[in-house]
Every structure is written in C-alpha cells, then in structure tokens.
Amino acid sequence: MKEKSILDIMKLGGAYIAFCIGSGYATGQEIMQFFSAFGWKSIGAVIISMVLFVWLGATMMRDGRKLCFKTDTEVWRYYCGNVCCHVLNVFVTFFLFGCFSIMIGGAGASLNQYFGIPNVIGRILMAVLCLGTVMLGLNKLVDIIGLIGPVIIVFSIVIGLGAIFLNADGLMQVNEVLQGIEVSASCSNWAFSGALYTGYMAILVIPFLLQLSQSAKNTKTAVSGGVFGGFFLVLAILVMNLGLLSNIGAVYDQEIPTLILAEQLHPVLAGIFAIIVLMRIFSTAVPMLWMVCRKAGEERTKKYNLTCVVTVIAALILSMLPFTTLVGTIYPYTGYIGVILMICVFVKQVLTKKEKRSLSGKID
C-alpha cells in the first residue's frame, strides 16, 4: 500500500475519531459512566463497543461510497423506512444543534477556567473558529480535524498508561474500592452499556460517516478509514478506562477525572490537557455544525454560508441560556434510539445480502 494511501486512511479514521471525541470524553465522564463504573467487567463492555464501532465505521463508509446519499432523509429512509425517516431527521438536526451550542458553552467555560479569558470572549472565539472551518467545506474539514484525532488519541493513551504505571496496585484493588463508593453508571448492565455507548454516538455519527466517505479516493480506503477510526478510538478508551480504574477512589467524584490523572503525572500536563480539551471540543463541534448547515444546500453557496452564520449566532445565544437542561432530558434516550438504529442497519445489511444471493441464484 502506498504511503499516500496510509495517510488518507489515517485522515479518514482521524476524522471519525475526532467527531466522536467531545467534552464528555475529554473530561473522562463518559468513560467512567459507561465503562469504569463496572470495574473489571468494563473490559468486556469496551470489547463490545470496539466491535460495534469498527463494524459501524466500515459499514457506513462502504455504504456511503456505494449509495452516494445526498441528504440525511435519504439515509434514514434507506435504513429505517418512510415512517421513521422524517422523525429521525428532525430529531438529529435538533440534537446536533443542541450539542453544538453546548460545545460552544463548554469552550467558553474551559478558556475561562484555565486561562482566565472571559467566558463570552471564549465562546465567540470558538464559534468564529468553527464558522471559518465549516465555510471551507468538507475536504478542508477532514484535513484539519483528521489530523487532530490521532493527536488526541496519542495523548489519551499516554495519560492512561502513565496513570496505570503510577498506581498499578490500584487495578488489583478496584473491585474492593468500588464496593465502598458510588459511581454513576449509564445503566445497570455492563454488556448493554458497551452497546449503549456506541448507540449514543451512532445516531450522530452515521450521517457524518456517510458524507465523510465521499472524500475518500476509493471504497477500500473508505472502509479502511472506518476500521482504523473505530479501532483506535476504543483502544484509547480501553487504556483510559484502566487508568481511571487504577485511581477510581480518587477520581470517581470528580467532574474532570482525566485532569486528576494528568496532574498526577506532571503539573505541566494540566496546561497541555486544557489545550487538548479545547481541541476535542473543536473537533466535535465543527462536524456537528457542518452537518446542520449542509442541510441548507451545497457548500460555498450563499444559502449555505448564510445558514452557517445564522446557526453560529443562534448557537452563541443558546449557549448563554439554560439550554443544557433541555438537551439533558433528551440525552439519555439518544443511546437507546441509536441502538435501535444500529439494529435497523444490521437488518438492512442482512436483507441486502439475501437479495444479492437470490438474484445471483436466479441468474445461474
């Protein structure tokens, strides 16, 4: 395989990773609630999640190249039928916009907490940066966030490995420690939690992956990018999960448990961590904004550009209101909807293969 092809695969996989890594992943809260809360059983949950992320990435990137969907409505109609497509389209658009608004708010809070920049200024800076990137179009977007994804993964793995190395004995005692503390969990079953985490991401990432595949040079590169992204995304989760488990007694009640792990390694890492958090927020916020604006029309058109500007202004306003309460009500159900959606994708995949075999048999 040529070196250029490897770079293309890394960019595609990096964009997949970057989209999935948001502020929840950055703080460690997602990892702790979906995985670490179950102790050693969390490794099984991680494996389930890895299989699903790899399958989802490969399937969506292949279907995107093959079917060339133009709109999200076409996507939902193909996988879920006419009845559900319009409901899903509205729900996903609303949820994307809500998450983008929260990302802008999170960026303002992070810049204020770590660097003393006024919250409003921080929000405006992140909003303008996202706006400028989205107006460049999908190809430039992939080039930018595709390179950020691997950087974030490497940093996460380093932090996780460092935390394990400094407190390896903590892993041996994790089940005993968990019996004496209360860690918030996504659900009561570790296996379903692994599927739920992928489902929570799937409802947002499926339309993005289908569009992302169009920037690949061929189907093989697209599928390889999906596999690469899904595998390394969850590999980093596995390492970070073990790092959290080895220090679970110290981080279980912290709002930003990964910051505690970084500070244990070296105080300087706390400052670097703040920059990484902002990179994670940016890498997730940009494709979310692009997916909302892309519904208005083709890139670089007046309608598209105007939608970008209006959406960013609206998100800035909403990020200053208690909008998180509304999204917080919908958020828990997103994972369940995502699991149902993945089942629909799997069923469609099976039925398509059966149709191909049936046609092949008739031709023979």
Side-chain angles (χ1 to χ4, degrees):
M1 185 178 288
K2 296 181 180 179
E3 185 177 351
K4 190 174 181 180
S5 296
I6 295 174
L7 182 60
D8 290 340
I9 290 170
M10 290 183 65
K11 280 185 178 180
L12 292 169
Y16 181 12
I17 291 167
F19 183 85
C20 293
I21 294 175
S23 56
Y25 181 104
T27 61
Q29 282 295 335
E30 283 181 1
I31 298 173
M32 194 156 63
Q33 292 182 26
F34 281 91
F35 301 105
S36 305
F38 300 98
W40 281 108
K41 292 179 180 178
S42 64
I43 296 176
V46 170
I47 292 172
I48 290 171
S49 193
M50 178 178 285
V51 170
L52 290 173
F53 268 112
V54 168
W55 166 76
L56 190 67
T59 302
M60 293 301 103
M61 296 291 269
R62 184 200 64 214
D63 285 359
R65 289 285 303 182
K66 179 182 175 182
L67 301 170
C68 298
F69 295 110
K70 299 298 182 184
T71 65
D72 288 358
T73 304
E74 293 178 7
V75 173
W76 306 130
R77 181 179 289 114
Y78 177 77
Y79 291 115
C80 306
N82 291 322
V83 177
C84 298
C85 69
H86 296 295
V87 175
L88 275 170
N89 196 32
V90 172
F91 176 80
V92 172
T93 302
F94 171 77
F95 192 67
L96 281 168
F97 177 67
C99 287
F100 175 71
S101 301
I102 292 171
M103 292 291 171
I104 295 299
S110 298
L111 284 167
N112 178 257
Q113 180 178 342
Y114 294 114
F115 302 107
I117 298 174
N119 205 307
V120 174
I121 300 299
R123 292 178 184 184
I124 292 173
L125 286 173
M126 180 59 73
V128 170
L129 188 59
C130 290
L131 176 62
T133 305
V134 167
M135 291 182 76
L136 292 173
L138 178 63
N139 289 331
K140 288 294 182 182
L141 186 153
V142 172
D143 288 342
I144 295 170
I145 71 168
L147 294 175
I148 290 176
V151 171
I152 294 172
I153 288 299
V154 169
F155 184 84
S156 298
I157 290 175
V158 169
I159 294 295
L161 289 175
I164 296 168
F165 178 77
L166 289 179
N167 195 21
D169 292 340
L171 280 176
M172 301 298 104
Q173 303 167 1
V174 64
N175 286 334
E176 289 84 352
V177 174
L178 282 171
Q179 289 178 4
I181 59 177
E182 187 175 346
V183 183
S184 179
S186 60
C187 62
S188 59
N189 182 273
W190 62 269
F192 186 66
S193 187
L196 197 63
Y197 184 72
T198 312
Y200 143 73
M201 292 290 186
I203 198 165
L204 300 179
V205 82
I206 284 177
F208 177 67
L209 287 176
L210 290 166
Q211 293 294 327
L212 177 65
S213 67
Q214 300 303 308
S215 64
K217 293 185 176 180
N218 52 61
T219 302
K220 187 175 181 180
T221 300
V223 173
S224 297
V227 172
F228 176 92
F231 177 79
F232 282 99
L233 168 69
V234 188
L235 178 64
I237 289 175
L238 173 62
V239 176
M240 188 62 77
N241 173 54
L242 292 174
L244 290 170
L245 286 177
S246 65
N247 296 268
I248 195 67
V251 301
Y252 80 96
D253 59 348
Q254 299 294 315
E255 290 187 4
I256 311 178
T258 47
L259 178 60
I260 304 300
L261 300 185
E263 288 177 336
Q264 285 181 354
L265 293 178
H266 200 283
V268 175
L269 282 178
I272 298 174
F273 175 81
I275 297 173
I276 294 294
V277 168
L278 291 170
M279 288 173 64
R280 285 169 168 171
I281 291 173
F282 171 77
S283 68
T284 303
V286 166
M288 284 181 172
L289 175 62
W290 177 82
M291 288 169 65
V292 172
C293 297
R294 183 64 179 78
K295 294 176 183 293
E298 295 293 330
E299 295 172 356
R300 300 173 188 260
T301 60
K302 288 184 179 180
K303 189 175 182 181
Y304 173 83
N305 291 337
L306 180 61
T307 302
C308 290
V309 173
V310 171
T311 302
V312 168
I313 293 173
L316 269 171
I317 295 171
L318 285 174
S319 70
M320 300 177 189
L321 299 173
F323 189 69
T324 53
T325 303
L326 179 59
V327 176
T329 304
I330 299 172
Y331 219 69
Y333 297 101
T334 306
Y336 293 95
I337 295 173
V339 170
I340 294 171
L341 180 56
M342 287 193 296
I343 292 172
C344 290
V345 171
F346 180 74
V347 170
K348 184 67 176 180
Q349 193 175 26
V350 171
L351 291 176
T352 302
K353 286 183 178 180
K354 284 186 177 181
E355 287 177 6
K356 286 182 178 180
R357 288 175 184 173
S358 178
L359 289 172
S360 177
K362 288 179 180 179
I363 293 172
D364 293 339

